[in-house]
Amino acid sequence: QVQVVESGGGLVQAGGSLSLSCAASGITFGINTMGWYRQAPGKQRELVADIGRFGNTNYADSVKGRFTISRDNAKNTVYLQMNSLKPEDTAVYYCNAKTRGIGGSEIPYWGQGTQVTVSS
C-alpha cells in the first residue's frame, strides 16, 4: 500500500525560512513526478513546484527565486526549501507523488497535508 507522508511546516515570521519533506513508501514501479501543492482558506489547491525523476523542475511564478524543490530518488523523498516567506504563502501544503503503474499508467497519491503559517 502506497503511503505519502509529509513533515516540516509550522509557524514562521515573514522573511523567514522553512523546509518540508515528503517520503513515499510502498512503491512498486517507481515514481515519475513528485510535487508540492498548497491550498489557502477559500482558495483552490495550486501547484507550488514539482520535479521529474531526472531532476527537471517546475515552479509557480509566485515562488520562483524563493523556493527550491529537490528529490532523492533512492529514498522516494522530495524536499521543499522555502526562503523569504511571505504571509501569502500561508496554506496547507500537500505532497503529491505520481507513481508508475502497470502498462505505463500513472497513479497519483497525496499526503495528508502540513500547515505553513507566515506571520506579518
Side-chain angles (χ1 to χ4, degrees), residues 25-47:
S25 60
I27 305 299
T28 302
F29 298 110
I31 304 175
N32 289 336
T33 302
M34 299 188 79
W36 291 94
Y37 292 70
R38 67 186 180 187
Q39 187 166 19
K43 294 189 176 181
Q44 288 190 330
R45 190 173 297 188
E46 62 175 1
L47 174 69

Side-chain angles (χ1 to χ4, degrees), residues 13-73:
Q13 287 189 330
S17 298
L18 282 174
S19 60
L20 305 179
S21 62
C22 167
S25 60
I27 305 299
T28 302
F29 298 110
I31 304 175
N32 289 336
T33 302
M34 299 188 79
W36 291 94
Y37 292 70
R38 67 186 180 187
Q39 187 166 19
K43 294 189 176 181
Q44 288 190 330
R45 190 173 297 188
E46 62 175 1
L47 174 69
V48 176
D50 62 23
I51 182 167
R53 57 190 176 123
F54 299 116
N56 46 306
T57 58
N58 177 43
Y59 293 92
D61 288 342
S62 59
V63 307
K64 283 181 181 176
R66 301 188 297 123
F67 291 11
T68 302
I69 191 169
S70 60
R71 174 174 177 168
D72 185 335
N73 288 336

